mmCIF file of all heavy atoms in Angstrom:
data_model
loop_
_atom_site.group_PDB
_atom_site.id
_atom_site.type_symbol
_atom_site.label_atom_id
_atom_site.label_comp_id
_atom_site.label_asym_id
_atom_site.label_seq_id
_atom_site.Cartn_x
_atom_site.Cartn_y
_atom_site.Cartn_z
ATOM 1 N N SER W 16 -9.619 -9.046 15.081
ATOM 2 C CA SER W 16 -10.143 -7.980 16.000
ATOM 3 C C SER W 16 -9.421 -6.678 15.823
ATOM 4 O O SER W 16 -8.183 -6.718 15.663
ATOM 5 C CB SER W 16 -10.208 -8.523 17.413
ATOM 6 O OG SER W 16 -8.737 -8.850 17.895
ATOM 7 N N GLU W 17 -10.149 -5.711 16.006
ATOM 8 C CA GLU W 17 -9.421 -4.397 15.866
ATOM 9 C C GLU W 17 -8.904 -3.928 17.286
ATOM 10 O O GLU W 17 -9.457 -4.195 18.294
ATOM 11 C CB GLU W 17 -10.573 -3.189 15.515
ATOM 12 C CG GLU W 17 -10.779 -3.181 14.027
ATOM 13 C CD GLU W 17 -11.597 -1.995 13.694
ATOM 14 O OE1 GLU W 17 -11.539 -1.008 14.323
ATOM 15 O OE2 GLU W 17 -12.193 -2.122 12.600
ATOM 16 N N ASP W 18 -7.741 -3.372 17.177
ATOM 17 C CA ASP W 18 -7.007 -2.887 18.461
ATOM 18 C C ASP W 18 -6.221 -1.724 18.195
ATOM 19 O O ASP W 18 -6.035 -1.255 16.973
ATOM 20 C CB ASP W 18 -6.176 -4.088 18.802
ATOM 21 C CG ASP W 18 -5.769 -4.117 20.313
ATOM 22 O OD1 ASP W 18 -6.113 -3.131 21.010
ATOM 23 O OD2 ASP W 18 -5.194 -5.156 20.637
ATOM 24 N N VAL W 19 -5.665 -1.063 19.162
ATOM 25 C CA VAL W 19 -4.730 -0.039 18.934
ATOM 26 C C VAL W 19 -3.457 -0.492 19.403
ATOM 27 O O VAL W 19 -3.234 -1.027 20.425
ATOM 28 C CB VAL W 19 -5.189 1.277 19.830
ATOM 29 C CG1 VAL W 19 -4.275 2.341 19.593
ATOM 30 C CG2 VAL W 19 -6.497 1.723 19.342
ATOM 31 N N LEU W 20 -2.425 -0.219 18.620
ATOM 32 C CA LEU W 20 -1.065 -0.728 18.850
ATOM 33 C C LEU W 20 -0.511 0.000 19.932
ATOM 34 O O LEU W 20 -0.428 1.221 19.955
ATOM 35 C CB LEU W 20 -0.316 -0.560 17.490
ATOM 36 C CG LEU W 20 1.018 -1.362 17.301
ATOM 37 C CD1 LEU W 20 0.796 -2.898 17.458
ATOM 38 C CD2 LEU W 20 1.696 -1.029 15.948
ATOM 39 N N LEU W 34 4.278 -0.078 11.272
ATOM 40 C CA LEU W 34 3.221 -0.251 12.275
ATOM 41 C C LEU W 34 3.666 0.620 13.537
ATOM 42 O O LEU W 34 4.547 0.132 14.173
ATOM 43 C CB LEU W 34 3.130 -1.627 12.692
ATOM 44 C CG LEU W 34 2.404 -2.623 11.639
ATOM 45 C CD1 LEU W 34 2.812 -4.083 11.904
ATOM 46 C CD2 LEU W 34 0.964 -2.470 11.660
ATOM 47 N N GLN W 35 3.009 1.716 13.737
ATOM 48 C CA GLN W 35 3.354 2.659 14.750
ATOM 49 C C GLN W 35 2.431 2.603 15.964
ATOM 50 O O GLN W 35 1.211 2.512 15.785
ATOM 51 C CB GLN W 35 3.652 4.044 14.274
ATOM 52 C CG GLN W 35 4.745 4.021 13.156
ATOM 53 C CD GLN W 35 4.912 5.351 12.407
ATOM 54 O OE1 GLN W 35 3.949 6.228 12.605
ATOM 55 N NE2 GLN W 35 5.989 5.656 12.056
ATOM 56 N N GLN W 36 2.993 2.990 17.099
ATOM 57 C CA GLN W 36 2.254 3.119 18.316
ATOM 58 C C GLN W 36 1.044 4.010 18.010
ATOM 59 O O GLN W 36 1.158 5.059 17.251
ATOM 60 C CB GLN W 36 2.971 3.696 19.457
ATOM 61 C CG GLN W 36 2.238 3.834 20.730
ATOM 62 C CD GLN W 36 3.159 4.363 21.879
ATOM 63 O OE1 GLN W 36 4.318 4.459 21.725
ATOM 64 N NE2 GLN W 36 2.551 4.637 22.941
ATOM 65 N N GLY W 37 -0.159 3.584 18.385
ATOM 66 C CA GLY W 37 -1.373 4.323 18.195
ATOM 67 C C GLY W 37 -2.127 4.019 16.900
ATOM 68 O O GLY W 37 -3.257 4.313 16.770
ATOM 69 N N ASP W 38 -1.607 3.213 15.988
ATOM 70 C CA ASP W 38 -2.221 2.816 14.845
ATOM 71 C C ASP W 38 -3.337 1.829 15.151
ATOM 72 O O ASP W 38 -3.331 0.949 16.019
ATOM 73 C CB ASP W 38 -1.338 2.100 13.807
ATOM 74 C CG ASP W 38 -0.358 3.047 13.140
ATOM 75 O OD1 ASP W 38 -0.420 4.209 13.190
ATOM 76 O OD2 ASP W 38 0.530 2.439 12.416
ATOM 77 N N THR W 39 -4.467 1.962 14.335
ATOM 78 C CA THR W 39 -5.546 0.993 14.524
ATOM 79 C C THR W 39 -5.056 -0.222 13.673
ATOM 80 O O THR W 39 -4.715 -0.154 12.596
ATOM 81 C CB THR W 39 -6.915 1.608 13.862
ATOM 82 O OG1 THR W 39 -7.141 2.635 14.681
ATOM 83 C CG2 THR W 39 -8.015 0.466 13.916
ATOM 84 N N ILE W 40 -5.226 -1.432 14.270
ATOM 85 C CA ILE W 40 -4.683 -2.583 13.684
ATOM 86 C C ILE W 40 -5.672 -3.768 13.698
ATOM 87 O O ILE W 40 -6.606 -3.580 14.477
ATOM 88 C CB ILE W 40 -3.403 -3.206 14.431
ATOM 89 C CG1 ILE W 40 -3.621 -3.444 15.842
ATOM 90 C CG2 ILE W 40 -2.212 -2.204 14.125
ATOM 91 C CD1 ILE W 40 -2.670 -4.264 16.525
ATOM 92 N N ALA W 41 -5.439 -4.740 12.901
ATOM 93 C CA ALA W 41 -6.350 -5.962 13.024
ATOM 94 C C ALA W 41 -5.323 -6.987 13.483
ATOM 95 O O ALA W 41 -4.289 -7.302 12.945
ATOM 96 C CB ALA W 41 -6.832 -6.309 11.728
ATOM 97 N N TYR W 49 -1.840 -6.449 11.450
ATOM 98 C CA TYR W 49 -1.743 -5.732 10.178
ATOM 99 C C TYR W 49 -2.567 -4.344 10.353
ATOM 100 O O TYR W 49 -3.424 -4.330 11.207
ATOM 101 C CB TYR W 49 -2.203 -6.586 9.110
ATOM 102 C CG TYR W 49 -1.609 -7.843 8.847
ATOM 103 C CD1 TYR W 49 -2.243 -9.059 9.473
ATOM 104 C CD2 TYR W 49 -0.445 -7.959 8.264
ATOM 105 C CE1 TYR W 49 -1.565 -10.231 9.357
ATOM 106 C CE2 TYR W 49 0.193 -9.138 8.071
ATOM 107 C CZ TYR W 49 -0.387 -10.288 8.576
ATOM 108 O OH TYR W 49 0.254 -11.528 8.429
ATOM 109 N N HIS W 50 -2.249 -3.492 9.477
ATOM 110 C CA HIS W 50 -3.208 -2.335 9.317
ATOM 111 C C HIS W 50 -4.534 -2.848 8.846
ATOM 112 O O HIS W 50 -4.579 -4.164 8.473
ATOM 113 C CB HIS W 50 -2.572 -1.359 8.461
ATOM 114 C CG HIS W 50 -1.472 -0.579 8.886
ATOM 115 N ND1 HIS W 50 -0.187 -0.550 8.275
ATOM 116 C CD2 HIS W 50 -1.298 0.125 9.993
ATOM 117 C CE1 HIS W 50 0.632 0.114 8.891
ATOM 118 N NE2 HIS W 50 0.034 0.595 9.978
ATOM 119 N N LYS W 51 -5.503 -2.067 8.673
ATOM 120 C CA LYS W 51 -6.801 -2.536 8.180
ATOM 121 C C LYS W 51 -6.758 -2.922 6.725
ATOM 122 O O LYS W 51 -7.716 -3.391 6.109
ATOM 123 C CB LYS W 51 -7.851 -1.465 8.369
ATOM 124 C CG LYS W 51 -8.127 -1.225 9.831
ATOM 125 C CD LYS W 51 -8.730 -2.441 10.478
ATOM 126 C CE LYS W 51 -10.046 -2.768 9.916
ATOM 127 N NZ LYS W 51 -10.533 -4.057 10.408
ATOM 128 N N CYS W 52 -5.630 -2.789 6.066
ATOM 129 C CA CYS W 52 -5.423 -3.243 4.667
ATOM 130 C C CYS W 52 -5.747 -4.778 4.638
ATOM 131 O O CYS W 52 -5.891 -5.336 3.508
ATOM 132 C CB CYS W 52 -3.987 -2.891 4.109
ATOM 133 S SG CYS W 52 -2.731 -3.547 5.178
#
Side-chain angles (χ1 to χ4, degrees):
S16 63
E17 282 191 21
D18 203 354
V19 175
L20 197 58
L34 290 159
Q35 297 179 337
Q36 181 178 357
D38 284 354
T39 300
I40 56 163
Y49 303 96
H50 289 121
K51 292 299 291 171
C52 56

